[in-house]
Amino acid sequence: MAGRKQFDIATALDAAMIQFWRAGYADTSVDDLSRATGLNRSSIYSSLGDKDTLFTRCLERYATRYGDKYDAALSGAADRPLAAVRAFFDITLERIADPGLPDGCLVAQTVMATPVLSPGVAARAREAIGLQHTRLRTALKAGRLRDETAESFATHLAAVNQSLAVMSRAGTSTEQLRAVVDVTLDALARALGAGGTDA
């Protein structure tokens, strides 16, 4: 029975995450969450928490799911930094192209909605954005970019990655998004091949 409950909670969290992702925090009501998860209001509160708690759990679930994929993509940066960053962007582009998922990025949407969020939720969203910058900077330094160059490119790559999610919501095609990535990778390739490395 415990295993069955865990499965049900995981399924409900995924359904709630998709609802928040599609509509945003402010435009998602507890009734919307009830319809999405198949749970009544009292079951949501008792099993998943209030709206803020549930949203935070969904945000953590999203950040962990895609964070693990980003980490795996960047794990080869020491040997092949450009290929690792391309793989990083491929995670985002594949997520955007998946017809079973909402457009955009739950973290980016959450940060943009900061004025209507509780301080705790807003802080967690900013932390998730910061973590993406940190993982990119670590990967670029492993790829032997100098500290200052790695910092600049980490900021740029994180910004481009978030902009892909925003642009996808505005209807930008996958081909156009890939073109944005290609320009970014060209700039990184030049830095890696020039004086921006410690090698």
Side-chain angles (χ1 to χ4, degrees), residues 115-140:
V116 300
L117 302 176
S118 70
V121 172
R124 181 61 190 97
R126 288 192 298 271
E127 182 182 324
I129 291 283
L131 182 57
Q132 186 168 97
H133 175 271
T134 299
R135 66 167 48 98
L136 283 163
R137 184 182 61 216
T138 300
L140 293 171

Side-chain angles (χ1 to χ4, degrees), residues 156-168:
H156 179 74
L157 296 174
V160 169
N161 198 51
Q162 295 305 321
S163 73
L164 295 175
V166 174
M167 291 167 70
S168 76

Side-chain angles (χ1 to χ4, degrees), residues 8-60:
D8 287 343
I9 288 175
T11 301
L13 283 171
D14 276 342
M17 181 179 72
I18 293 292
Q19 173 61 39
F20 281 126
W21 188 353
R22 181 174 290 115
Y25 175 86
D27 291 329
T28 294
S29 67
V30 176
D31 286 339
D32 292 329
L33 293 167
S34 179
R35 283 189 290 273
T37 62
L39 300 172
N40 61 37
R41 292 172 68 97
S42 63
S43 293
I44 288 174
Y45 286 118
S46 64
S47 299
L48 303 175
D50 62 16
K51 183 179 171 182
D52 257 23
T53 301
L54 176 53
F55 184 73
T56 301
R57 292 179 72 178
C58 291
L59 192 61
E60 295 280 358

